[in-house]
Amino acid sequence: MTATTPTAQPPAILERLSAQRDWLGPLVAVLVILSALPFLGIDVPEVLVRCCPLLLTALAVTIPARTGLVNVGGEGQFALGAVGAAAFATALTPETPGLVGIVVIAIGGTLFGALWAGVAALLKVTAGVNETISTLLLNYVATLILAYSVTGPLKDPEAANFPIGAPIPDATRLPEINGVHMGVVVALILAAAAAWLLGRTRWGFKARVAGGNPRAALRNGLPVGILIVGALLLGGALAGLAGALEVMGPDGRLRQGLGVGFGFLGFLASWLAMHRPGWTVAAVVLIASISVGGDSLQLDLGLPATSVYVVTATVLLVVLGWRGTRSGARS
Amino acid sequence: MFIEDVLAGAVRYGSSVIFATQGELISERAGVINLGIEGSMLCGALAAFATASATGSAVAGIFAGLAAGGVLAAIHAFLVIWRGANQLAAGLAISFLGLGLTAALGVSFVSKQITGLGAIEIPLLSDIPILGKVLFTQDALTYLALILPFIVLFALSRTKWGLILRATGERPEVVRAYGYDPKHVRAAAVILGGALAGLGGAQLVLAYTLNWVENVTVGRGFVAVALVIFGAWRPLGAAAGALVFGAALSLQLQLQARGVDVSIWLLQMAPYVLTLLVLVFTSRRQSKQIPEDLKAVFGGT
C-alpha cells in the first residue's frame, strides 16, 4: 500500500509476512485469553459458543464502519434474523434432510437481518436519516416484533402460555463437538472472508474511500449510495445469520429475550478493535469471556444479565479515551 | 373521556422526553452530540427512585436525579473534549454503562414502592374543560417541563451565556478569540444536558411508573436525540416533538386500557415508528440547521 516506486518494493517474502502481521497479534491475544480461562474457572467451550453470535454482530458493525457508517442495529438485526429463521423453519417437515433444513433456516435469518438493516439503509439514502439514530430506534421495534412473534404467529401451540416458538426439527440442530457447535467455525470463516473483502478487494477499497471522504468519492464517480446500502445490507445479513445460528444452536427454538445484548456487545467489540477484522476476533473472545464469566457471577449474586455491560462498556470507554488523542480523530 | 385522557397522557408521558430533548439540545448547540443521554436518564431515574425510597421525599429524589445524570455526562465530556474520543462511540458506551449500572444496582429496588410527586391542581385553570385536565392537573416536574423549553429558548437567544454557547457550536475559534475556552463551555453544556436528562428520568419514575424496572426508559433518550433533529435544534420544536411522542405513547396505552383487539407488542411499536417517520419527513430539510461544528461528527452524506 505504501510502496509506490519500484525501488521501494519490499521482497515478496517480507510483504507476505507483513500481511500476516494483521493476524499474528490477535492470534496471540486469543491464545493468551483462552489459556487463562481455565484458571479463572470459566468454561472454554461456553466462551467459544458465545463467540459465534458476538463475532457476527461485531462484523455487522465493522463492515458498515468502513464506509463511515455507525450501525448500532445489531441488536435488532439479530432479533429479526432469529424471527426469520423460525419463520422459515415452519416450512420444513421432519422429512427434510438436515443440511437442507440448516441452509433454509440460515437463509431465513440472513434475509430478515439484511431486510432490517435495509430499512435503515433506505432511510439514509432516500431521506437522509442518520443511520446511528435509525438503527437504534429500529432495535426497539425489532425486539417488539420478536415478542409479538412468540406470542402470536410463531408461538408454539404446545406451550401453554410461555412466549416461545415451536422447536425446530432435530435434524436442523447444528452438530456439536464437545459442546461447541458448528456455527463457531462458520463465524470464523466469515470473519476471514470479511477481512479479505475489506482489505483485498476492489469493493473493500471503494468502501474505504467512500467512508474516508464521501465528497471526494462522489466527485470521482464512486457510487457512494450503493456502497452504503451494500455495506449495511451485508452487516445486517451477518447479524441476522447470528440470530439464525443461535436458534439452530444452543436454543433450538425462538423465545422472548433470545440473544438480548449480543448486538450491543458486538458493537463494543468492533469499536474496541477499531474495526480491524483480526483484532475484532480477539476483542470478541475477550468480551465473550467477560460475558460468560459474568453469567456465573450473576447467578451467584442475583444480578441481571445486563450487568455485564458495566465491565465491557468501561473497557471501551478507557480505550476510547486513551486512544483518542493519539489518533487525533474527533469524529 | 378518550381525547382528554390521551392528551393528558401526552403531556405527562412526554415531559420526561422534553427534559431529555432540552438537555441534548444544549449539548449539541455547544457542538457535542451526547448519545449517553439514555444512560443519563436511566441513572437519573434510579438515583431519584432510590433516594425517594430511602428518604421518603420525592423532592430529594429530584435532586439526586439531576446529579446522577450530570455525573454520567461528565464522563462523556471528559472523554470527548479532553481525550478526543469518538463522540458517537463514547456516547453509546456511556448509555450501555448506564444501562448495566442501573440494572445491577437497581435489583434491590425492583419491588419497592414510593410515594411519587402528586398532581397539583392549579386553581381556576384546572376547571377549564379538557385543557384544565391536560395542562393544569399535572405534577410539579411536568409543569417545569412545559416551561423549560421557553427558558432554554430565552437563555440561548437572549443571554450572553447563550450566545457564547451557540458560538462554541458554530465557530469555537471565535469564542477563543473572545477570551473563553470552548472546552470549558462544551463541558458545562454537556454536564448541564446530562443533568436535565437525569431530571427527565426522575420525572419518569417519580410521576409516572412509581416503581423501578430494569431499562425503565426503553430508548426515550435515543428518541430525544432524534427529536432534536426533528426540531431543527430549536427548543420549542424539539419539545413539540416530545409531546407528539408522548401522545403516541398515551394513545397506545389508552387503546390497551380500552381492550382494543391488537397485540400489545404491536401497539408498543407506535411511538418508535412515529419517531422514525418524523425523521423521514424532516431529516433532509433540517440538516441545514445543524450546528456548524457538529457537521464533522454527525453530518452524513
Side-chain angles (χ1 to χ4, degrees):
Chain A
M1 209 175 106
T2 47
T4 45
T5 52
T7 44
Q9 202 83 45
I13 181 74
L14 274 185
E15 200 174 50
R16 205 174 287 172
L17 259 182
S18 75
Q20 271 154 15
R21 213 176 45 192
D22 297 347
W23 288 95
L24 221 56
L27 188 68
V28 172
V30 167
L31 291 177
V32 167
I33 297 169
L34 287 182
S35 54
L37 290 179
F39 299 102
L40 297 166
I42 299 173
D43 192 32
V44 175
E46 211 175 318
V47 169
L48 292 178
V49 169
R50 186 68 53 89
C51 282
C52 170
L54 296 191
L55 187 50
L56 291 173
T57 52
L59 293 172
V61 179
T62 299
I63 294 176
R66 286 298 178 96
T67 54
L69 299 171
V70 181
N71 175 21
V72 210
E75 198 76 11
Q77 290 143 20
F78 178 99
L80 252 268
V83 170
F88 273 46
T90 56
L92 303 174
T93 60
E95 288 81 50
T96 316
L99 198 61
V100 175
I102 289 177
V103 171
V104 167
I105 294 176
I107 289 176
T110 311
L111 213 60
F112 273 53
L115 190 83
W116 204 239
V119 175
L122 188 75
L123 294 186
K124 173 148 187 116
V125 176
T126 59
V129 179
N130 180 285
E131 80 287 351
T132 314
I133 307 293
S134 64
T135 50
L136 266 172
L137 293 176
L138 284 167
N139 284 341
Y140 294 96
V141 182
T143 311
L144 291 167
I145 291 179
L146 173 59
Y148 168 67
S149 304
V150 290
T151 49
L154 293 174
K155 184 178 168 8
D156 183 4
E158 316 268 293
N161 270 324
F162 291 108
I164 51 174
I168 59 167
D170 278 338
T172 57
R173 296 294 296 273
L174 297 175
E176 323 186 324
I177 304 165
N178 290 333
V180 181
H181 64 73
M182 201 184 73
V184 182
V185 182
V186 174
L188 270 175
I189 293 172
L190 286 172
W196 173 78
L197 177 73
L198 294 174
R200 297 262 179 278
T201 64
R202 199 180 286 261
W203 189 88
F205 176 72
K206 284 184 192 165
R208 215 159 354 131
V209 174
N213 190 342
R215 208 155 288 170
L218 268 179
R219 222 164 271 155
N220 282 296
L222 281 186
V224 175
I226 294 174
L227 286 166
I228 283 175
V229 173
L232 265 176
L233 286 180
L234 211 53
L238 290 170
L241 179 63
L245 291 176
E246 210 60 11
V247 167
M248 291 187 283
D251 276 81
R253 63 181 359 152
L254 192 64
R255 64 176 165 81
Q256 194 165 1
L258 177 81
V260 166
F262 287 176
F264 290 144
L265 291 177
F267 178 87
L268 296 174
S270 181
W271 275 89
L272 214 51
M274 284 182 87
H275 314 310
R276 289 168 300 186
W279 282 103
T280 301
V281 176
V284 161
V285 173
L286 176 70
I287 287 185
S289 309
I290 295 173
S291 161
V292 170
D295 281 352
S296 51
L297 206 66
Q298 283 152 17
L299 285 179
D300 294 344
L301 300 175
L303 291 176
T306 11
S307 320
V308 74
Y309 287 156
V310 179
V311 184
T312 47
T314 306
V315 171
L316 179 61
L317 286 173
V318 168
V319 171
L320 282 174
W322 174 69
R323 199 163 55 193
T325 37
R326 276 201 319 168
S327 59
R330 215 175 59 95
S331 58
Chain B
M1 212 174 109
F2 185 67
I3 297 286
E4 198 178 55
D5 288 342
V6 169
L7 290 179
V11 173
R12 192 145 53 100
Y13 309 145
S15 65
S16 62
V17 186
I18 293 182
F19 283 117
T21 55
Q22 303 306 304
E24 181 67 27
L25 187 136
I26 290 171
S27 180
E28 287 191 24
R29 287 299 286 264
V32 178
I33 180 158
N34 182 7
L35 292 179
I37 209 104
E38 171 84 5
S40 279
M41 273 188 101
L42 277 166
C43 286
L46 180 64
F49 188 85
T51 309
S53 155
T55 63
S57 156
V59 177
I62 292 175
F63 286 103
L66 265 173
V71 167
L72 205 68
I75 305 175
H76 184 67
F78 171 72
L79 289 175
V80 164
I81 300 167
W82 277 281
R83 302 296 309 168
N86 180 296
Q87 298 196 3
L88 299 177
L92 286 164
I94 281 179
S95 277
F96 300 149
L97 176 68
L99 180 57
L101 266 181
T102 53
L105 298 175
V107 171
S108 50
F109 293 100
V110 165
S111 52
K112 288 250 170 68
Q113 297 273 316
I114 54 161
T115 36
L117 295 164
I120 304 168
E121 285 190 22
I122 294 186
L124 295 177
L125 290 177
S126 57
D127 296 332
I128 305 172
I130 301 182
L131 214 59
K133 190 180 173 197
V134 174
L135 286 179
F136 302 112
T137 316
Q138 300 282 5
D139 61 282
L141 278 182
T142 298
Y143 291 127
L144 179 60
L146 291 174
I147 306 167
L148 182 69
F150 297 97
I151 301 174
V152 173
L153 176 66
F154 176 80
L156 282 179
S157 57
R158 291 275 182 277
T159 66
K160 181 182 151 199
W161 283 108
L163 180 66
I164 293 169
L165 187 137
R166 281 185 293 135
T168 307
E170 307 280 348
R171 295 266 191 284
E173 59 279 4
V174 173
V175 176
R176 187 170 293 121
Y178 198 63
Y180 292 93
D181 188 343
K183 288 183 172 177
H184 293 162
V185 179
R186 285 197 167 134
V190 172
I191 293 170
L192 176 63
L196 285 178
L199 197 57
Q203 195 273 344
L204 188 64
V205 291
L206 294 178
Y208 168 33
T209 65
L210 297 181
N211 60 15
W212 170 258
V213 287
E214 186 184 326
N215 193 14
V216 67
T217 53
V218 276
R220 281 178 175 79
F222 296 136
V223 166
V225 179
L227 293 174
V228 170
I229 300 172
F230 160 74
W233 290 269
R234 284 190 295 255
L236 300 188
L243 288 176
V244 172
F245 176 84
L249 204 64
S250 168
L251 181 67
Q252 174 259 118
L253 288 169
Q254 287 299 329
L255 288 177
Q256 265 184 53
R258 280 165 169 73
V260 175
D261 190 26
V262 181
S263 164
I264 54 161
W265 307 111
L266 295 182
L267 282 175
Q268 283 178 24
M269 287 175 202
Y272 303 104
V273 174
L274 184 79
T275 309
L276 279 165
L277 282 178
V278 146
L279 280 184
V280 169
F281 290 114
T282 53
S283 282
R284 195 75 86 190
R285 196 153 38 89
Q286 314 299 48
S287 63
K288 295 184 191 74
Q289 310 284 335
I290 188 168
E292 200 66 34
D293 213 46
L294 256 190
K295 274 186 186 153
V297 189
F298 206 46
T301 45

